[in-house]
Amino acid sequence: MPKKNIAVYTATGCRTCELALLDIHYQVQRLHRVADIVYWPYLLGSQHAELARLEAIDICFYAGAVRTHSERQMAELLRAKSRFMVALGSCAGFGGLPGLVNLATRTGPPAAVEPPADASDPPLELAALEPQVAGLTQVVAVDYVVPGCPPTQNLVWSALQGVLCEAGSQAHLSYAASRLPQKVAQAMASGVRPPLGTVFAGEKAVCASCSRVKEQKRFESVKRPYQAYESTGRCLLEQGLVCSGIATREGCGGLCTGVGIPCRGCFGKAEAVYDPGAKMVAAISSTFDADKPQKIDAVADQFLDMVGTFYRYTLPTQCALLNIQEKG
Amino acid sequence: MQTVIIDPLRWQAAPSRVVLSTNGSKPQARFQVTAPRNVEAMALGRPVEELPRILSILSPSHHIVAAQALDHLFGVEPPPPAATMRRALLETLFFIEHMQKIYFLLTAWEHPFRDLRQAGRGAAASPVPSALPDEIMHALSLAQEGAAILGGRSAHPLTAIAGGVSRYLKEDAYPRLAAIADQCRPAARRVTAAIRESLLSAGRPLAAFREIAVPLAHLSLAPPSESRKDEIAIVRNTGDEPPVQFAIEEIPTKISVHQEPWSYQPFAYLQADGWPGLSSERPKGLFFVGPLARLNDGQSLSAAAAEEERLRLIEEMGPFPHYSVAAAFWALLIEALEAVERMVALYQKEQLIGPSIRTVPAQMGALGMAALESPAGLIFHEYRVNSHGIVEELRVLDTTTANNALRCLVAQRIAESGVELRHNRQETKTRMEIGLLPF
């Protein structure tokens, strides 16, 4: 089988997704046997002109949110040249942390470029900012998504193997396969490319794989992570901590909750969830341990920054209310 | 006028490019950051306890300094095991980030996706022993596992919270941590010796970068001492001027940022001196941070292997202070050796257990701040919150802002030397990327 061409690019983000790919290469020690990395500015120093010269790319891994006009242009160019486009990480998949900028009234300087002081000065124009930070999925058609901030190494490897169409046993995929939908894991084991639109993570919510014990579904009062809460293995939400595990796609194995930190939804919404914020409001309010309107109001008043919490990684793409407003 | 744009640059945390222009004999280089991060916009309006997770988008060390700022805001002190766990995580991050930069340096000569079976055949063309990148990546992989054990995750850690850490380690973590440190230590020594011999010594490829030097003041934190209870920031100037010292709380009044319209990254400078611009030979008011800034303080190191390496640098290049790119790479190796010795010392069960790992806050203040020497240099956080603990004001000094002026000046020096040495575009690009990497 001929080697596939791979391109890797990061827009606005933190490089962690790219480094996850590098770590994978080291750990599997065989990426070069099945693929040629033909474009990777961060690691190979590939220049824009090299991309223009490339006729076709088999698979493009695009990480980061789309913040500037040039990042949008890169997304469009890479999409046009790539057979398969993979959104790598929460920023590309859903807008990620940079998407929170859309809530801010102030945005970062500089807003405009001053003309050169001297006509002989070199051109120094910066790419203009987009009106809103967007996920890659809002800018171009995306074939696959590898969620997470950053994506776990096993899921990155499963995505590489799956999209490259390299057959491998479920035993080889081990941990990743156990968290992937069965049809995806089976396709990969057979060397068949998973269906377009596959999200390389689970289908259920994080709660399905969280190791914490759910005892009673009662939400009496809101606790904040700096306040006292049990260091036992009891469900964080039941203890009053806002934990987005119930609305978030599984695949991490309850990584944050496992170390006593509430989930903030970096894998995006679970398959059956329409809007993660609405799901969180519904899930929490339905278990309020209060029967009178005043008591319910008192509990509800304790919630702060619900938009910034429930859509921490997904505001541009998964907040249904915002998207409806944008579509008019 | 001829203009060359090197876009993008390898290995830079923020998307960056250099615009080179020559008009006559003197070239002009501008180092530009081409996309903003705007962490302030992400953090304003959030509950303050969320900042250790949000601000780790800048680097994993920001997770730790953000937790320290929460300690200050809530007026709590982490119990000793929690403080040790955070410190152990930080030392691990030093090792990871410095080794990662050394790995990137090696990829200037060795293709990172080369076929290992064929690597030996091309060894003669590379100044680097062919097994070295593999050894670094193996050590990195182990250290990342150590960071994940301590911080919950390696890249964006989770466990540092107000007043301590979120959980005890599991019983099987202690022997694993000890094994990781025991394997990283000899790897760090072998890598250091190999890099010194193959790249840094006289006549080797990085020796040419001894000429690429930008003498600027340097800023670092001085730990508490017998005569002084608190940590202070010290700016040491390049000439005979006495150092400037100030308390951590004074950082916002002593350091300002300047915004140029041609870069999305602001420039830090000393407010007392005003913004000097980037064109003068020794611009007073500009400074840099990082491993070389710390070593320029001239203090001996506690770890024997690191101190031996520091003395080797002095023997080879003369006494501190140093300002060259070559010295900055050597500083990475010295600090990696120091970090791995501290990992060995801190990855001990008896240091990581105790009756408590968290001091639960009883009250909330209005202002939280903290400074930390991170792998890339001094970082500082300051938050002002309302009565609900919602962030209303935020000030973050990160190393890309602190070293932005230095990077511009390094790019300028490399452009000038490139004209003198008649480098072609590819040579200039590679030298530019190598020159900017250790800062």
Side-chain angles (χ1 to χ4, degrees):
Chain A
M1 187 182 290
K3 281 188 176 184
K4 308 280 196 313
N5 286 343
I6 290 182
V8 184
Y9 180 79
T10 287
T12 293
C14 65
R15 307 288 193 195
T16 306
C17 297
E18 287 181 283
L19 291 172
L21 275 177
L22 181 63
D23 293 339
I24 284 295
H25 165 69
Y26 166 72
Q27 289 176 4
V28 300
Q29 283 293 325
R30 61 178 210 169
L31 195 52
H32 62 274
R33 295 184 203 170
V34 292
D36 286 321
I37 313 285
V38 293
Y39 181 77
W40 192 341
Y42 178 59
L43 205 61
L44 303 181
S46 317
Q47 302 288 286
H48 292 324
E50 293 173 52
L51 179 60
R53 284 197 294 272
L54 282 172
E55 282 186 12
I57 296 164
D58 291 307
I59 303 154
C60 173
F61 287 91
Y62 190 106
V66 179
R67 179 88 170 94
T68 68
H69 188 54
S70 69
E71 289 167 355
R72 174 179 286 273
Q73 287 178 317
M74 283 301 292
E76 290 167 352
L77 182 59
L78 285 163
R79 171 70 278 187
K81 285 180 178 279
S82 303
R83 191 168 164 222
F84 298 106
M85 192 80 165
V86 182
L88 181 65
S90 303
C91 295
F94 322 119
L97 284 175
L100 290 175
V101 171
N102 293 353
L103 290 174
T105 49
R106 282 179 285 173
T107 54
V113 177
E114 290 174 0
D118 184 320
S120 63
D121 282 355
L124 294 165
E125 292 88 356
L126 292 170
L129 297 181
E130 293 277 306
Q132 297 274 285
V133 176
L136 179 69
T137 48
Q138 293 172 292
V139 174
V140 296
V142 168
D143 301 308
Y144 299 100
V145 176
V146 190
C149 183
T152 59
Q153 293 194 344
N154 287 284
L155 293 176
V156 174
W157 173 226
S158 69
L160 268 167
Q161 190 164 337
V163 184
L164 283 167
C165 234
E166 285 293 313
S169 69
Q170 289 206 23
H172 189 194
L173 291 167
S174 62
Y175 171 92
S178 71
R179 279 168 171 74
L180 290 168
Q182 193 179 18
K183 61 183 179 185
V184 176
Q186 282 173 346
M188 290 165 59
S190 315
V192 176
R193 190 171 288 113
L196 294 181
T198 293
V199 177
F200 283 91
E203 286 177 314
K204 296 178 181 172
V206 169
C207 297
S209 61
C210 176
S211 58
R212 292 188 164 264
V213 179
K214 291 99 187 159
E215 292 170 344
Q216 51 179 4
K217 292 186 176 177
R218 281 279 179 269
F219 201 98
E220 296 166 10
S221 63
V222 179
K223 278 191 185 139
R224 291 170 64 176
Y226 67 80
Q227 295 173 313
Y229 59 94
E230 295 170 26
S231 57
T232 62
R234 190 177 161 214
C235 170
L236 295 171
L237 192 63
E238 284 185 4
Q239 294 187 51
L241 289 146
V242 174
C243 175
S244 299
I246 201 163
T248 302
R249 187 184 287 273
E250 188 256 347
C252 61
L255 218 150
C256 298
T257 55
V259 296
I261 300 291
C263 171
R264 286 290 176 262
C266 73
F267 271 58
K269 67 182 183 65
E271 195 70 37
V273 171
Y274 176 68
D275 178 305
K279 171 69 179 175
M280 285 300 297
V281 170
I284 293 173
S285 58
S286 66
T287 59
F288 275 178
D289 192 18
D291 48 5
K292 293 182 179 164
Q294 294 88 337
K295 280 188 179 177
I296 293 173
D297 282 348
V299 178
D301 285 346
Q302 296 173 48
F303 288 92
L304 298 169
D305 185 36
M306 284 197 281
V307 175
T309 303
F310 296 157
Y311 303 100
R312 175 67 51 82
Y313 294 90
T314 59
L315 184 72
T317 54
Q318 295 186 350
C319 179
L321 205 57
L322 278 180
N323 290 334
I324 289 167
Q325 281 179 339
E326 277 175 14
K327 286 170 187 169
Chain B
M1 183 178 69
Q2 192 183 6
T3 300
V4 174
I5 300 176
I6 300 172
D7 183 14
L9 292 163
R10 266 185 292 185
W11 315 318
Q12 291 294 311
S16 316
R17 69 179 185 182
V18 168
V19 178
L20 288 167
S21 60
T22 48
N23 200 357
S25 59
K26 186 167 168 79
Q28 190 192 355
R30 279 285 164 85
F31 171 79
Q32 290 181 280
V33 173
T34 55
R37 279 221 175 129
N38 281 148
V39 289
E40 289 84 357
M42 295 177 209
L44 290 175
R46 307 284 86 73
V48 69
E49 66 272 19
E50 300 289 328
L51 295 191
R53 294 179 76 174
I54 293 173
L55 295 176
S56 73
I57 192 174
L58 290 167
S59 80
S61 309
H62 282 269
H63 172 72
I64 298 172
V65 74
Q68 290 177 341
L70 293 185
D71 297 343
H72 181 248
L73 177 81
F74 291 105
V76 287
E77 192 85 23
T84 306
M85 218 180 291
R86 288 186 191 175
R87 187 73 220 173
L89 174 61
L90 183 64
E91 296 297 343
T92 313
L93 296 175
F94 266 79
F95 182 79
I96 290 171
E97 291 189 29
H98 289 357
M99 280 293 160
Q100 213 157 48
K101 285 186 174 177
I102 295 297
Y103 176 81
F104 288 156
L105 173 68
L106 299 189
T107 64
W109 293 280
E110 283 281 359
H111 195 288
F113 298 103
R114 74 201 190 288
D115 188 333
L116 289 177
R117 292 166 301 181
Q118 297 171 359
R121 296 176 211 163
S126 169
V128 182
S130 61
L132 201 56
D134 204 37
E135 172 140 33
I136 292 175
M137 285 306 280
H138 180 58
L140 265 176
S141 177
L142 287 167
Q144 284 169 346
E145 186 190 342
I149 290 171
L150 292 161
R153 286 189 306 207
S154 168
H156 294 312
L158 298 160
T159 55
I161 58 174
V165 293
S166 63
R167 55 92 170 93
Y168 286 102
L169 301 184
K170 290 180 179 168
E171 195 57 39
D172 59 359
Y174 301 111
R176 183 62 192 149
L177 282 174
I180 287 169
D182 281 346
Q183 288 193 56
C184 286
R185 176 156 54 179
R189 291 181 181 183
R190 282 194 297 269
V191 168
T192 298
I195 296 290
R196 185 195 330 116
E197 296 306 317
S198 61
L199 295 179
L200 281 166
S201 301
R204 307 303 294 173
L206 282 183
F209 283 88
R210 293 183 190 185
E211 309 301 320
I212 307 296
V214 179
L216 286 185
H218 54 274
L219 170 66
S220 59
L221 286 181
S225 63
E226 286 180 8
S227 61
R228 198 184 57 245
K229 187 182 150 207
D230 295 317
E231 211 170 30
I232 55 167
I234 300 184
V235 180
R236 290 187 168 84
N237 290 297
T238 51
D240 297 330
E241 283 184 68
V244 180
Q245 303 186 2
F246 46 88
I248 304 302
E249 296 77 34
E250 294 181 279
I251 286 178
T253 58
K254 299 290 185 185
I255 296 173
S256 287
V257 291
H258 170 81
Q259 186 71 56
E260 288 284 353
W262 44 265
S263 178
Y264 277 116
Q265 191 73 43
F267 296 82
Y269 67 96
L270 297 171
Q271 192 165 323
D273 297 319
W275 169 246
L278 296 163
S279 52
S280 60
E281 278 298 307
R282 290 199 174 196
K284 189 169 167 54
L286 300 183
F287 64 90
F288 74 101
V289 299
L292 189 57
R294 288 187 283 260
L295 289 185
N296 274 350
D297 290 350
Q299 305 294 317
S300 57
L301 301 172
S302 55
E307 178 62 10
E308 277 172 29
E309 198 60 35
R310 193 183 77 93
L311 294 174
R312 279 196 196 98
L313 184 155
I314 292 172
E315 190 181 333
E316 179 90 14
M317 300 175 73
F320 285 100
H322 288 287
Y323 302 99
S324 72
V325 170
F329 277 115
W330 212 325
L332 292 176
L333 294 167
I334 293 168
E335 284 205 342
L337 287 170
E338 177 91 340
V340 82
E341 294 299 331
R342 288 182 178 160
M343 284 162 61
V344 171
L346 295 170
Y347 280 13
Q348 303 293 328
K349 181 178 179 180
E350 57 271 24
Q351 302 225 44
L352 299 168
I353 57 171
S356 169
I357 49 163
R358 191 179 164 214
T359 307
V360 176
Q363 58 184 11
M364 184 192 295
L367 173 71
M369 66 166 70
L372 176 77
E373 280 291 355
S374 75
L378 188 149
I379 54 179
F380 173 78
H381 287 197
E382 182 190 65
Y383 324 133
R384 288 183 191 278
V385 300
N386 66 15
S387 59
H388 296 291
I390 297 293
V391 180
E392 292 192 321
E393 283 180 44
L394 178 93
R395 188 191 293 255
V396 171
L397 177 66
D398 67 334
T399 55
T400 45
T401 301
N403 283 342
N404 200 11
L406 173 74
R407 287 168 193 226
C408 280
L409 296 172
V410 167
Q412 179 64 29
R413 296 285 184 280
I414 291 172
E416 288 168 8
S417 75
V419 169
E420 282 172 26
L421 300 169
R422 296 180 177 276
H423 286 141
N424 62 26
R425 179 197 163 96
Q426 186 56 41
E427 288 167 329
T428 304
K429 174 179 179 291
T430 302
R431 280 169 57 84
M432 201 67 83
E433 289 166 334
I434 292 174
L436 294 168
L437 177 60
F439 304 109

